[in-house]
Amino acid sequence: MAKTGQIAVVGVGPGYPELLTPQAAAALRAADVVIGYSGYFAWVENLLVDKERIGFPLGQEAERAHEAFCQAGAGRRVVVISSGDPGIYAMAGLVLELLPSVAAGCRPDVTIVPGVSALNAAAALLGAPLGHDFAAVSLSDLLTPWPNIEKKLAAAADADFVLALFNPKSQRRDWQLNRAREIVQRHRRADTPVGIVLNAFRPGQCVMLTTLGEMDVSRVDMFAIVFIGNSASRFVENFMVTPRGYTQPKANGIDP
Amino acid sequence: MAKTGQIAVVGVGPGYPELLTPQAAAALRAADVVIGYSGYFAWVENLLVDKERIGFPLGQEAERAHEAFCQAGAGRRVVVISSGDPGIYAMAGLVLELLPSVAAGCRPDVTIVPGVSALNAAAALLGAPLGHDFAAVSLSDLLTPWPNIEKKLAAAADADFVLALFNPKSQRRDWQLNRAREIVQRHRRADTPVGIVLNAFRPGQCVMLTTLGEMDVSRVDMFAIVFIGNSASRFVENFMVTPRGYTQPKANGIDP
């Protein structure tokens, strides 16, 4: 069966070369053309010398996926870059969803190259906020009705998940994070640890420890991720830590 | 203030050199002594030549953390290795929790080096199962009472989170995954896509697509991670995809 071109959807991590995987670097080196939010190109500048780049503004994610298929249709090796991990609030799904739009004999090979996501990178800067079960929730209501988001926040808070809040705020969305805090506070104490990370491993990095009651929403922007602890999370020195279990470790330790 | 030694808790990813970050490799190269589950040493064998290694069996996680502090107390540069990411069901929290047990003037510097976790690696092999809000739940009831785990499963299923199930099964725990399936099925259709990955990016890798109703629990072992889709997840060719939104992408795209 004839295949035309290849598409790799590549996670470049947080934008710090030391956290770009060799697999992602190799995919970029092998590319004929690199597609992505134009702001991400600078993160991997040294790998893009002599590469054709097709940049799009934020918001034009569907357009990037379409362009990837156009380029692959011409037989080229295409990389679509995502910050962090392409599977977590990023480009992998959008690209895969377009596969059926291409005639069966002409579909490009699509591979997903995982990356270090904000869940990994920002959490590492805070300590171990995700040490037990957690829920990732995007506060962006552009594609998901806000009542669905509220339901998720309430369910996760009630069941004592740690919460990792993506897209907590943007220029056009300024009230969602305060509303999320109100919902979680119905289920969790005001002194619950909260960690906020802006620009993890990038210029402008800022790591803040606060509490659910005292969180200053004005310090949060669209590049932030917000972690709200569970009932057992606590501060240890300058770290936020969620213990693995609700009981003390047994003599026979952790399974597996 | 005098500090004694250093501890880096390092995520080595899924065990595939191409997914080991340069930061993790550098930390291993700089180590005087490497502590971890002895089975992980082979994953980074080429970085451990001439290194002292202190291996522990599975189960002795607390012992590894204690040993790290003993070694750091002797002024050494210690690496504690975790598979995947050290912050997700791994060693970061256990190490940080011990900090207060050391006298204030003698505490080692502790850093957490993030890694590519199963959430990233296994998901990439499946496609984009985590394309929307998701909950990570460990089915191990050794440290968490089973009723807490059931509450989390039910809450996440009811609120339409994608589920990522860690530690779905072990030699001693064989019924939890079936019970989890029963709980989720109260809220989700039998044809909900399920992806199971064994040994992601390692010898013995196995990627299985099935459904909630047809999942064969006997195919799952302690090295597996199980993804259960949300109400919008679907199969696209041989991939499992969870769309980013519940609506079609708008002209103005995804935020941010």
Side-chain angles (χ1 to χ4, degrees):
Chain A
M1 187 172 72
K3 289 257 186 185
T4 61
Q6 302 167 12
I7 301 175
V9 190
V10 174
V12 299
Y16 174 52
E18 293 293 298
L19 290 175
L20 179 82
T21 69
Q23 191 180 38
L28 284 164
R29 278 191 208 97
D32 295 317
V33 55
V34 178
I35 294 169
Y37 165 53
S38 42
Y40 297 150
F41 292 147
W43 295 7
V44 287
E45 185 62 41
N46 64 321
L47 296 166
L48 299 185
V49 178
D50 298 331
K51 300 284 180 200
E52 184 180 347
R53 312 168 192 195
I54 307 180
F56 289 85
L58 288 177
Q60 296 194 1
E61 284 74 20
E63 288 81 353
R64 289 178 224 166
H66 279 287
E67 182 66 27
F69 278 88
C70 286
Q71 294 288 334
R76 310 183 78 190
R77 286 166 300 183
V78 180
V79 163
V80 177
I81 58 175
S82 277
S83 66
D85 181 89
I88 297 181
Y89 303 117
M91 291 298 302
L94 275 171
V95 169
L96 292 172
E97 285 180 70
L98 285 183
L99 266 177
S101 70
V102 180
C106 307
R107 290 180 189 158
D109 280 316
V110 178
T111 56
I112 312 297
V113 177
V116 171
S117 74
L119 287 175
N120 313 296
L125 294 173
L126 287 166
L130 302 179
H132 204 296
D133 302 328
F134 66 92
V137 180
S138 167
L139 298 190
S140 171
D141 56 350
L142 291 187
L143 292 178
T144 300
W146 181 253
N148 295 35
I149 298 171
E150 286 210 355
K151 181 172 182 176
K152 283 182 170 135
L153 292 168
D158 183 46
D160 208 26
F161 282 100
V162 177
L163 278 155
L165 304 180
F166 285 75
N167 306 315
K169 205 171 167 183
S170 76
Q171 288 183 324
R172 287 171 297 174
R173 294 184 301 98
D174 60 358
W175 55 267
Q176 284 86 347
L177 181 57
N178 257 328
R179 180 80 187 118
R181 182 237 298 267
E182 287 168 22
I183 292 165
V184 177
Q185 266 196 310
R186 286 181 209 144
H187 304 274
R188 223 158 282 179
R189 294 159 43 141
D191 65 356
T192 299
V194 167
I196 301 170
V197 180
L198 281 69
N199 295 305
F201 292 96
R202 288 194 299 272
Q205 173 181 299
C206 179
V207 178
M208 293 176 272
L209 291 177
T210 180
T211 63
L212 194 54
E214 295 182 348
M215 170 168 58
D216 180 0
V217 171
S218 74
R219 301 290 300 278
V220 175
D221 67 17
M222 65 184 289
F223 299 108
I225 180 168
V226 177
F227 297 90
I228 302 175
N230 71 11
S231 62
S233 300
R234 59 181 191 267
F235 298 117
V236 177
E237 285 201 344
N238 293 320
F239 296 105
M240 175 176 171
V241 176
T242 301
R244 173 68 193 273
Y246 285 101
T247 54
Q248 289 302 306
K250 293 183 198 168
N252 68 346
I254 287 171
D255 171 298
Chain B
M1 189 172 69
K3 290 256 187 186
T4 61
Q6 301 167 13
I7 301 175
V9 190
V10 173
V12 299
Y16 175 51
E18 293 292 300
L19 290 175
L20 180 81
T21 68
Q23 190 180 37
L28 284 164
R29 279 192 208 97
D32 295 316
V33 56
V34 178
I35 294 169
Y37 166 52
S38 42
Y40 298 150
F41 292 147
W43 294 8
V44 287
E45 185 62 41
N46 65 319
L47 296 166
L48 299 186
V49 178
D50 297 331
K51 299 284 180 200
E52 184 181 346
R53 311 167 193 197
I54 305 179
F56 288 87
L58 288 177
Q60 296 195 0
E61 285 73 20
E63 289 81 352
R64 289 177 223 166
H66 279 287
E67 182 65 27
F69 278 87
C70 286
Q71 294 288 335
R76 308 183 79 190
R77 285 166 298 184
V78 181
V79 162
V80 177
I81 58 175
S82 278
S83 65
D85 181 90
I88 297 180
Y89 303 116
M91 291 297 302
L94 276 172
V95 170
L96 292 172
E97 285 181 68
L98 286 183
L99 267 178
S101 70
V102 180
C106 307
R107 291 183 188 155
D109 280 314
V110 178
T111 55
I112 312 298
V113 177
V116 171
S117 75
L119 287 176
N120 312 298
L125 294 173
L126 286 166
L130 303 179
H132 204 296
D133 302 330
F134 66 93
V137 180
S138 168
L139 298 190
S140 171
D141 55 350
L142 292 186
L143 293 178
T144 300
W146 182 253
N148 295 34
I149 298 171
E150 287 210 356
K151 180 171 182 178
K152 283 183 171 136
L153 292 168
D158 182 46
D160 208 26
F161 282 100
V162 177
L163 277 155
L165 303 180
F166 286 75
N167 306 315
K169 206 170 167 184
S170 76
Q171 288 183 324
R172 289 171 294 175
R173 294 184 303 99
D174 61 358
W175 55 267
Q176 283 85 349
L177 181 57
N178 257 328
R179 180 81 187 117
R181 183 237 298 267
E182 287 168 22
I183 292 165
V184 177
Q185 266 196 309
R186 285 182 211 145
H187 303 274
R188 224 158 283 179
R189 295 159 41 140
D191 65 356
T192 299
V194 167
I196 301 172
V197 180
L198 281 70
N199 294 305
F201 291 96
R202 289 195 297 274
Q205 173 180 300
C206 179
V207 179
M208 293 177 271
L209 291 177
T210 178
T211 63
L212 194 55
E214 293 181 349
M215 169 167 60
D216 180 358
V217 171
S218 74
R219 300 291 301 280
V220 174
D221 67 17
M222 65 185 289
F223 299 107
I225 180 167
V226 177
F227 297 90
I228 302 175
N230 70 12
S231 62
S233 299
R234 59 181 191 268
F235 298 118
V236 177
E237 285 202 343
N238 293 320
F239 296 104
M240 174 176 172
V241 176
T242 301
R244 173 69 193 273
Y246 285 101
T247 53
Q248 289 302 306
K250 295 182 198 169
N252 67 347
I254 286 172
D255 168 299

